[in-house]
Amino acid sequence: MNKRAGLFAKNIIFAVGANVSRILTTLILTLILPKVMSVEAYSEWQLYHFYATYLVYSTLGWTEGLYMKYGGISYQDLDKRRISSQIWGIAVHEAIFACIALFTGGILLSAGDIKRQLLLGAVLYMVFHVILCQLQAVLQACNRISDYARLYTGERVLFLSAALGCILIGQTGFHGFILVEILSNVILMAYAAYLCREIVFAGPLPFKTMLKEERELIGIGCSVSLASFLGQLIIGVVRFGVEQKWGTVAFGQLSLSFSMANMAVTCITAVSIVIFPVLKRLNRDKANHLYLPIRDLMTMPMFGILLFYAPAKYLLTLWLPEYGDSVRYLAILLPFCIFEVRNSVLACTYLKVWMGQKYIMYANIAALAVSAAATWLTVFVLESIDLAAVSIMGLYALKTILTEQAVKKYIDIKLALFNIQELLLTTVFMLLSWFCSPLTALAGYLICYLLYLFFGRKRLSRAYSTLKGMIR
């Protein structure tokens, strides 16, 4: 194995290892927090995270633009003063946006509304987390994956330690957990600044030069950020509709199942931070030839993850008896991770390499329009939270299929048959899990999955051989 292949493998190990650590800490938090908090407090904690999810898009694509412009450049070759200007510039930008967000929230929310406190926490989290992400983007772009991995893992590990401390002293309200999460980001931001100290303390460029660079980076990353924001809104519209119709507790039940499903996405999408710089350096024909092999090696094994739902359902019901609805929704939401991972790791990464970010945005706009219509129908007309949960799965599948249609503009591939097979297998899993006993559902899905692997065995073997040959 040559040096480049060895570095690629090493970065994959670091990236996945960091995310395995992160997913384990997130899993512990996801299982412990609803256990020690009241249902109302945990639902408010989820609402705080809902706010924070959208506030971090205040960067307008600045961070994404930094990563995309400088991706593939070695750390030593970076213009330190130019990058330093972007670190300090985004800190000022976020401070200004924080003031605007708090002022607006103060007008829209009444003085006694608990949502005011949640918004304050989310705004403080936003400021420090965005600066941390800007520093992480520098490390990612320069392929310093080991340093990035330490930061990525450290934030969750530090928060887990602090959260356990809160539990030990009996502080199980949402206020304490929000505070320690903010402090965790402050500490990791300081550590990231130390890792990039040659840049942070290089001294910024003149204001006009800095502003010109900022506009350029936002111009590069805006479409990616907007596409991601719209992607978040696809499920956000449904979740917001649930909160408005059935209240914070129902919102918390649905959000818990979404958090569990999202953990798998978080772990596997780590690979994309390694794939992007590698694809950018590869010959275009060679990179294009890798699309289908990676897709097959990613999708077919991931359907095996769904086999763990039945035992997970039994254990979760014992551990969190008050969250029975969340466990039921998990049967519907868990399959979405297969489509979202393929969309984020593969289709979107390829489109970014080809500078085809606008197609990601177009796919998300179309899916968002369907999301708004589905929310109106399922939540406000049919008044069914079950159908609202089903719509989330359908929306993610739609978004992925539309994004892959954009990929076909650059690569001559046929995906219709594969998409039909995957949608059928997903539908079978959801129907079995929803209407059959756990044992019957497990046996039925296992048979279907084995048939899927049997008929796709040649594709899988061919994909493995192709990828193996490419990295030699």
Side-chain angles (χ1 to χ4, degrees):
M1 186 179 287
N2 60 34
K3 185 177 179 181
R4 186 172 65 180
L7 180 61
F8 178 74
K10 181 181 177 182
N11 285 340
I12 287 283
I13 291 170
F14 270 120
V16 175
N19 277 268
V20 168
S21 300
R22 188 179 176 93
I23 201 171
L24 287 174
T25 55
T26 304
L27 175 62
I28 293 169
L29 288 165
T30 303
L31 293 176
I32 288 179
L33 293 186
K35 184 72 173 178
V36 300
M37 300 172 76
S38 67
V39 175
E40 292 77 11
Y42 183 74
S43 298
E44 286 157 350
W45 163 257
Q46 286 285 357
L47 191 56
Y48 149 77
H49 268 284
F50 183 72
Y51 293 156
T53 296
Y54 294 98
L55 284 171
V56 295
Y57 287 101
S58 58
T59 61
L60 306 176
W62 195 337
T63 301
E64 290 81 359
L66 179 71
Y67 175 57
M68 293 177 69
K69 180 178 179 179
Y70 295 102
I73 300 176
S74 67
Y75 187 77
Q76 292 75 19
D77 295 335
L78 284 176
D79 184 336
K80 304 295 192 296
R81 291 190 66 199
R82 186 172 293 275
I83 304 299
S84 177
S85 300
Q86 303 313 306
I87 303 298
W88 290 103
I90 205 165
V92 175
H93 173 93
E94 289 303 299
I96 294 171
F97 186 85
C99 294
I100 295 171
L102 290 175
F103 178 76
T104 305
I107 294 174
L108 297 178
L109 301 173
S110 59
D113 196 336
I114 197 72
K115 293 178 182 178
R116 268 196 175 190
Q117 300 173 39
L118 301 176
L119 178 62
L120 174 61
V123 166
L124 291 174
Y125 170 85
M126 171 201 71
V127 172
F128 299 112
H129 185 73
V130 163
I131 299 171
L132 171 61
C133 288
Q134 191 85 331
L135 292 163
Q136 286 178 319
V138 175
L139 297 173
Q140 284 180 266
C142 300
N143 217 24
R144 288 176 60 180
I145 302 300
S146 59
D147 288 331
Y148 168 82
R150 282 196 292 270
L151 286 170
Y152 193 69
T153 305
E155 191 270 327
R156 284 291 92 182
V157 171
L158 188 59
F159 173 56
L160 172 62
S161 303
L164 291 175
C166 287
I167 294 169
L168 288 174
I169 63 174
Q171 296 295 322
T172 57
F174 68 85
H175 297 91
F177 293 121
I178 291 175
L179 178 62
V180 296
E181 183 169 50
I182 294 169
L183 290 176
S184 298
N185 275 266
V186 172
I187 294 169
L188 266 294
M189 181 193 70
Y191 179 54
Y194 172 77
L195 291 176
C196 301
R197 55 193 178 278
E198 299 90 351
I199 290 174
V200 174
F201 300 108
L205 294 171
F207 180 74
K208 286 187 177 180
T209 308
M210 181 184 72
L211 205 60
K212 182 180 178 182
E213 175 79 0
E214 175 190 343
R215 286 197 296 266
E216 180 187 353
L217 295 182
I218 290 177
I220 294 170
C222 183
S223 57
V224 174
S225 181
L226 181 58
S228 178
F229 178 70
L230 293 172
Q232 289 284 354
L233 273 182
I234 291 169
I235 184 174
V237 168
V238 181
R239 293 172 70 193
F240 180 75
V242 168
E243 196 274 336
Q244 291 294 301
K245 181 68 175 179
W246 290 287
T248 306
V249 172
F251 171 86
Q253 292 272 357
L254 184 63
S255 296
L256 176 59
S257 58
F258 178 74
S259 297
M260 292 177 181
N262 204 40
M263 283 189 292
V265 176
T266 302
C267 181
I268 303 170
T269 50
V271 180
S272 65
I273 70 170
V274 178
I275 289 178
F276 178 74
V278 171
L279 289 177
K280 204 168 183 182
R281 294 188 185 109
L282 280 179
N283 173 276
R284 181 157 181 168
D285 290 337
K286 194 174 184 180
N288 291 354
H289 191 58
L290 283 173
Y291 187 88
L292 275 180
I294 295 175
R295 186 188 190 279
D296 289 337
L297 289 172
M298 181 184 298
T299 304
M300 297 176 79
M302 275 200 302
F303 271 104
I305 295 173
L306 303 183
L307 292 168
F308 294 96
Y309 171 72
K313 177 182 180 181
Y314 175 74
L315 294 173
L316 286 170
T317 303
L318 291 178
W319 178 252
L320 300 171
E322 294 179 316
Y323 291 87
D325 287 341
S326 290
V327 178
R328 287 175 61 247
Y329 299 144
L330 189 59
I332 297 171
L333 294 179
L334 190 59
F336 101 85
C337 70
I338 298 170
F339 294 95
E340 180 61 13
V341 164
R342 193 170 73 227
N343 183 66
S344 300
V345 174
L346 193 57
C348 289
T349 300
Y350 264 81
L351 288 173
K352 288 175 187 177
V353 170
W354 297 322
M355 302 301 287
Q357 303 94 311
K358 63 180 181 180
Y359 295 113
I360 303 174
M361 184 170 62
Y362 295 159
N364 286 344
I365 289 173
L368 179 59
V370 176
S371 174
T375 301
W376 173 78
L377 179 64
T378 59
V379 174
F380 298 105
V381 177
L382 300 177
E383 298 186 340
S384 171
I385 194 170
D386 292 345
L387 289 177
V390 171
S391 72
I392 292 174
M393 175 59 239
L395 290 165
Y396 272 103
L398 174 64
K399 182 180 74 169
T400 301
I401 291 170
L402 291 175
T403 307
E404 287 198 315
Q405 288 299 308
V407 171
K408 291 172 67 176
K409 292 179 179 291
Y410 300 90
I411 309 177
D412 184 21
I413 50 176
K414 293 179 174 62
L415 299 173
L417 180 61
F418 302 155
N419 285 329
I420 291 170
Q421 291 173 349
E422 290 152 10
L423 289 171
L424 284 174
L425 192 59
T426 299
T427 303
V428 167
F429 170 78
M430 291 193 298
L431 291 175
L432 287 172
S433 301
W434 197 262
F435 295 110
C436 299
S437 66
L439 190 58
T440 303
L442 177 60
Y445 180 71
L446 178 60
I447 292 170
C448 293
Y449 179 59
L450 290 176
L451 288 172
Y452 171 68
L453 290 179
F454 176 77
F455 288 112
R457 66 191 186 282
K458 291 182 180 179
R459 279 170 49 205
L460 202 57
S461 176
R462 190 164 52 247
Y464 175 75
S465 299
T466 301
L467 195 61
K468 185 180 178 181
M470 286 283 189
I471 64 173
R472 275 179 178 171

